[in-house]
Amino acid sequence: MIQYLWQKLTHPLDKWLMLFLGLIFSVSLMTLYSASGGDLDKVFGKLASMAVAFTAMWLAAHLKPNQLMRIALPLYILGFILLLGVAIKGDTVNGAKRWLNIGITRIQPSELMKIAVPMTLAWFFQRFESHLNWRHFLAAALMIGAPAGLVVKQPDLGTGILISAAGFYVLFLAGLSWRVILPLILAGVIGGWFVSDEGRCTKVFRQFQCDRVQILIDPEIDPLGKGFHTIQGTTAVGSGGIIGKGWQKGTQSQLGFIPERTTDFIFAVYSEEFGLLGGLLLIVLYVCVIGRGMVIAAKASTLFGRLLAGAITMSFFTYAFVNMGMVSGILPVVGVPLPLISYGGTAMLAIMIGMGILMSIQGDRKLMKR
């Protein structure tokens, strides 16, 4: 009886993903304890968020891909309406209007769109699989641009980038032509040149967003102000050396020089205390999750499964790449957390729902083989 219940409880879970996620969460708790100065309230808060996230992942893993297809478009419409609600009557905190008060709590609808956008696009391409043409790709681009534009307007550039990236990955995997991709790359290069000059940049973007670009180019122009995050982050990463200074022995982190050291800049704490070898170990764990996700995508039984699994996996890569890049000073600081490591539950919840969807797609393939 107990064995039967255990099998019913765990049958949709992918053992490899569970193993890699468990190891990453172990690293997370250990690093958070050190980064917070031994604050057990933060550690228990993280454990509570992990319990909620694992429950959401388990529920998502129990959904069948055809059920995911049925809820994709309603979920997108709901998320878009909520984003419009944020734009009209959202709560403003620290100059950003990102939250919507629904009476019992405040929600951040942009997190919903990280899942809803790739789900809806995967459903869209599955529906028109037999006769795809450029009009479908144009419609898909509009379905990405509309919510991403609202999120960037809040302003939340980091989340806007993640939503756009998740949508673009679906387009790419659906067969977007290189004749379109190459001009987009060229436009990105021209865009980089455009924002490199503060005068030009402020004509299109807000001052603080342009400041981030200027600080990326030369953080020493304001070492105690806007460049402080970047300078302290790169200093901590570099000072860790090959093997690090040891757990709870990082001077930059323990003396409070690293800002946001339990959230966006927790990778600086980890690198200082565990060095290059610790950083490589974490990257290997991330690569294992990405590799497993790509295997699931490659073996998915439907176009919907392949596109959605691929987009979720590549979005996970984007999370890690952008966070490590901004902490290491090679990308602007855009407020993207280190996936599953940073303190905070909202982003972790979205990622774990994505992991549950991967397991759902994998489980469906097993059923198809029987």
Side-chain angles (χ1 to χ4, degrees):
M1 182 65 178
I2 294 176
Q3 187 178 7
Y4 172 77
L5 290 174
W6 177 253
Q7 286 179 347
K8 292 293 288 182
L9 189 69
T10 60
H11 81 88
L13 303 181
D14 184 86
K15 62 181 180 183
W16 289 111
L17 277 179
M18 291 298 292
L19 172 64
F20 302 142
L21 295 175
L23 291 172
I24 292 173
F25 275 127
S26 299
V27 172
S28 169
L29 292 173
M30 185 173 62
T31 309
L32 178 63
Y33 182 80
S34 176
S36 63
D39 186 349
L40 286 177
D41 287 342
K42 285 244 176 196
V43 175
F44 285 121
K46 175 82 176 185
L47 282 169
S49 298
M50 285 166 53
V52 173
F54 267 109
T55 303
M57 180 199 75
W58 183 82
L59 291 172
H62 276 77
L63 292 173
K64 305 296 181 191
N66 59 347
Q67 293 174 313
L68 292 171
M69 281 194 284
R70 280 201 295 270
I71 64 173
L73 185 58
L75 200 64
Y76 177 91
I77 294 171
L78 173 64
F80 192 75
I81 291 172
L82 290 173
L83 281 179
L84 289 174
V86 171
I88 297 169
K89 292 195 66 174
D91 290 349
T92 302
V93 179
N94 296 327
K97 190 190 283 188
R98 302 173 184 172
W99 294 269
L100 187 65
N101 192 329
I102 57 172
I104 53 174
T105 186
R106 288 193 313 176
I107 60 172
Q108 194 172 352
S110 55
E111 294 295 330
L112 175 65
M113 299 307 281
K114 289 179 183 175
I115 294 294
V117 167
M119 271 180 66
T120 305
L121 293 180
W123 162 81
F124 180 75
F125 283 111
Q126 164 86 35
R127 182 173 182 181
F128 297 102
E129 179 182 6
S130 60
H131 54 282
L132 283 176
N133 58 45
W134 66 269
R135 294 183 182 87
H136 296 104
F137 284 95
L138 178 61
L142 293 174
M143 292 164 69
I144 299 169
L150 287 173
V151 173
V152 171
K153 189 72 177 174
Q154 289 177 353
D156 188 352
L157 183 59
T159 303
I161 290 172
L162 291 173
I163 292 172
S164 302
F168 174 77
Y169 293 144
V170 177
L171 267 65
F172 176 72
L173 294 170
L176 183 64
S177 170
W178 281 99
R179 286 180 296 180
V180 177
I181 295 174
L182 289 177
L184 289 175
I185 295 174
L186 179 61
V189 172
I190 294 173
W193 167 81
F194 182 84
V195 300
S196 65
D197 181 85
E198 188 173 7
R200 292 192 298 261
C201 181
T202 51
K203 292 178 181 176
V204 178
F205 297 99
R206 299 195 179 189
Q207 182 65 50
F208 80 93
Q209 292 169 329
C210 298
D211 288 343
R212 289 174 177 175
V213 178
Q214 297 304 311
I215 291 301
L216 173 68
I217 297 171
D218 183 11
E220 296 294 341
I221 59 176
D222 190 6
L224 298 178
K226 300 179 180 70
F228 188 76
H229 286 62
T230 301
I231 292 173
Q232 296 304 323
T234 53
T235 301
V237 171
S239 67
I242 301 296
I243 60 173
K245 297 175 180 175
W247 187 48
Q248 293 185 289
K249 295 179 180 176
T251 51
Q252 292 294 112
S253 54
Q254 300 303 320
L255 296 177
F257 287 104
I258 301 175
E260 311 294 344
R261 60 183 181 276
T262 62
T263 53
D264 293 350
F265 276 72
I266 198 168
F267 183 64
V269 178
Y270 178 81
S271 296
E272 184 184 22
E273 298 186 351
F274 297 99
L276 176 63
L277 292 178
L280 289 175
L281 174 63
L282 182 59
I283 289 172
V284 167
L285 289 175
Y286 281 145
V287 169
C288 287
V289 173
I290 293 164
R292 183 60 184 158
M294 294 309 289
V295 168
I296 291 173
K299 293 183 177 180
S301 55
T302 63
L303 178 64
F304 173 80
R306 288 194 294 276
L307 296 180
L308 184 54
I312 288 171
T313 304
M314 293 169 79
S315 296
F316 185 81
F317 160 78
T318 305
Y319 259 105
F321 177 76
V322 171
N323 180 275
M324 291 179 176
M326 74 180 197
V327 173
S328 304
I330 61 173
L331 291 175
V333 178
V334 291
V336 173
L338 188 61
L340 308 180
I341 301 286
S342 293
Y343 183 72
T346 309
M348 179 170 60
L349 181 63
I351 291 172
M352 291 299 282
I353 290 173
M355 293 296 130
I357 291 173
L358 283 180
M359 294 177 190
S360 165
I361 294 168
Q362 170 68 1
D364 183 66
R365 187 184 73 85
K366 287 180 180 177
L367 288 175
M368 295 285 285
K369 288 176 67 177
R370 289 178 183 174

